[in-house]
Amino acid sequence: MTKEDIRRIMLKRRKNMNQDEIDCKSQRIAELLFSLDIIQNSQIIMVYVNMPGEVRTEKIIQDLLNAGKTVVVPVCIPQEVNLLPSQIKGLDELAPGHYGILEPKKEFIRPVDPGVLEIIIVPGLAFDMQGNRIGHGKGYYDRFLMRVSPFAKKVGLAFEFQIVYSIPVCHFDVPMDLIVTENGIKKPK
């Protein structure tokens, strides 16, 4: 299957989920994520802010803030097709930005050097067991992940149905170190 075939299938499957199912599975994913030593032992963590149909991250963000972590979220830079990591101190600092995704309001943008990020929690439409991912096709995360420290752990969040056997890869695709679904923590081979 092509990336486009996989995108189309996953978008349809996500659309068929009801909000209760998304909430319940997202809660389980958050619990598993917080069970990871790397979360407990890291201080500077970047987390995506979910779009409708994605694993929900509001509770993850709030729990990280409550734990005293430095929480960073992406700001979309469309002219560069890239992401600017920006520290937030509360969910109330977010407002709809590009593509309708919540991001810091202008007065709350606090840029963070991508090189200091210890963990990047990454969305995706599909992941495979080699850690490869498919996003929405614009390449924001692919470009961004090439700029982070090679020591930063990349953690994909997904619903179990988003795990596929194999994803076509390109030279600029950056694999995940871990993938967390409601069924468990997967370490790519």
Side-chain angles (χ1 to χ4, degrees):
M1 280 196 291
T2 67
K3 285 187 176 185
E4 276 310 312
D5 292 335
I6 296 169
R7 276 190 191 99
R8 191 172 52 256
I9 291 165
M10 291 303 158
L11 284 169
K12 185 176 181 180
R13 285 184 185 170
R14 268 194 357 198
K15 194 173 181 182
N16 288 334
M17 292 179 75
N18 65 48
Q19 196 59 52
D20 286 343
E21 186 179 8
I22 291 169
D23 292 346
C24 183
K25 289 180 179 182
S26 293
Q27 175 64 35
R28 177 67 182 142
I29 290 166
E31 290 166 5
L32 288 167
L33 180 70
F34 276 89
S35 75
L36 293 168
D37 287 343
I38 61 168
I39 294 292
Q40 303 306 317
N41 298 330
S42 297
Q43 182 58 40
I44 305 173
I45 302 172
M46 181 168 168
V47 185
Y48 72 90
V49 182
N50 65 278
M51 297 191 307
E54 289 181 328
V55 174
R56 296 189 61 175
T57 58
E58 302 98 329
K59 182 171 178 9
I60 292 169
I61 291 169
Q62 189 59 59
D63 288 351
L64 289 169
L65 288 166
N66 292 347
K69 306 290 186 184
T70 299
V71 178
V72 176
V73 298
V75 177
C76 187
I77 312 292
Q79 50 279 32
E80 297 174 20
V81 191
N82 215 328
L83 301 174
L84 170 72
S86 178
Q87 181 184 359
I88 60 166
K89 297 187 177 178
L91 290 167
D92 58 336
E93 295 181 353
L94 303 176
H98 297 283
Y99 307 107
I101 302 168
L102 293 178
E103 55 186 43
K105 299 170 193 166
K106 286 188 179 17
E107 64 270 25
F108 295 118
I109 292 178
R110 302 175 191 95
V112 172
D113 177 352
V116 304
L117 299 171
E118 296 170 77
I119 298 176
I120 300 112
I121 298 175
V122 182
L125 283 172
F127 297 87
D128 68 17
M129 286 311 298
Q130 291 72 47
N132 300 307
R133 68 176 278 280
I134 292 178
H136 287 274
K138 294 182 174 48
Y140 281 88
Y141 271 91
D142 295 318
R143 284 177 182 82
F144 177 73
L145 291 173
M146 286 191 266
R147 296 175 31 228
V148 303
S149 163
F151 302 107
K153 296 292 181 198
K154 293 158 282 301
V155 180
L157 300 187
F159 300 115
E160 188 66 30
F161 70 79
Q162 293 175 279
I163 306 298
V164 299
Y165 178 72
S166 180
I167 288 175
V169 294
C170 300
H171 68 281
F172 53 79
D173 290 333
V174 177
M176 302 294 102
D177 297 297
L178 294 170
I179 303 163
V180 183
T181 77
E182 72 274 15
N183 290 356
I185 298 160
K186 301 169 188 320
K187 294 187 180 186
K189 299 169 181 134

